[in-house]
Amino acid sequence: MQHCTKTFLFWTVAICIVGGVNLLTMPSAIYPGDSNAIRIAATHLVANGDMGIPYSERGAYSDFLSVKGRYFVENDDKQKFYSRWGDLNTIIFAIPELIRGPGTAEYSTDSLIYHNIFNIILACILAIYLIRIGVMLGADRWHALLFVL
């Protein structure tokens, strides 16, 4: 019984530490750049069910399309823009947008909260697996946690 309590206590402390560190380092504002372009593609995917942004919507994303190939790749055959970071990145960024359920392809500060929470959850899951790998390789749980941090 005492072993279960210690194990539960360890994992609770580990998740709180990893989640707390991530919470303290999450952005409080939307910054321009690569990740914002991926989020735009993800919100468009959730709102329209299509990976590509049609050329007809070029005006809505002119700040991202001002330099050809910087944030999006153009596919003239399909008449669409695609994220230059690939489909998997767009799909991963679309998960918080799907939970939020936007009606239009719009990225807002409300969306930022969902992305931050999603990042904290992913960090905690990754930390659990990394700690378990460290323990499998012979490290003490607390040393493995320190290594993960």
Side-chain angles (χ1 to χ4, degrees):
M1 182 69 166
Q2 189 175 5
H3 175 70
C4 288
T5 305
K6 284 185 177 182
T7 301
F8 178 76
L9 178 65
F10 169 78
W11 288 113
T12 303
V13 169
I15 289 171
C16 287
I17 290 172
V18 171
V21 168
N22 277 281
L23 180 66
L24 293 174
T25 58
M26 287 288 148
S28 61
I30 300 171
Y31 298 106
D34 297 350
S35 62
N36 203 18
I38 298 168
R39 288 183 189 108
I40 294 293
T43 55
H44 188 275
L45 170 63
V46 171
N48 302 307
D50 190 10
M51 292 295 276
I53 299 172
Y55 280 3
S56 61
E57 296 180 22
R58 180 186 304 257
Y61 306 106
S62 59
D63 50 339
F64 290 101
L65 301 172
S66 59
V67 178
K68 187 175 183 173
R70 184 175 185 185
Y71 297 114
F72 292 96
V73 176
E74 297 178 20
N75 185 328
D76 291 330
D77 293 338
K78 295 183 179 181
Q79 297 286 299
K80 293 183 180 182
F81 297 102
Y82 292 93
S83 171
R84 77 175 190 145
W85 293 274
D87 293 345
L88 183 59
N89 225 343
T90 302
I91 290 169
I92 290 172
F93 272 72
I95 294 170
E97 294 299 325
L98 187 62
I99 294 168
R100 183 175 74 103
T104 60
E106 179 183 321
Y107 183 64
S108 63
T109 52
D110 181 43
S111 179
L112 179 68
I113 294 168
Y114 283 86
H115 281 274
N116 285 347
I117 292 170
F118 183 70
N119 286 336
I120 290 171
I121 291 168
L122 280 182
C124 290
I125 291 170
L126 181 61
I128 289 169
Y129 281 105
L130 290 175
I131 291 168
R132 291 181 61 102
I133 289 170
V135 169
M136 282 180 15
L137 295 174
D140 175 71
R141 286 187 305 197
W142 293 103
H143 288 116
L145 174 61
L146 277 173
F147 178 74
V148 168
L149 292 176

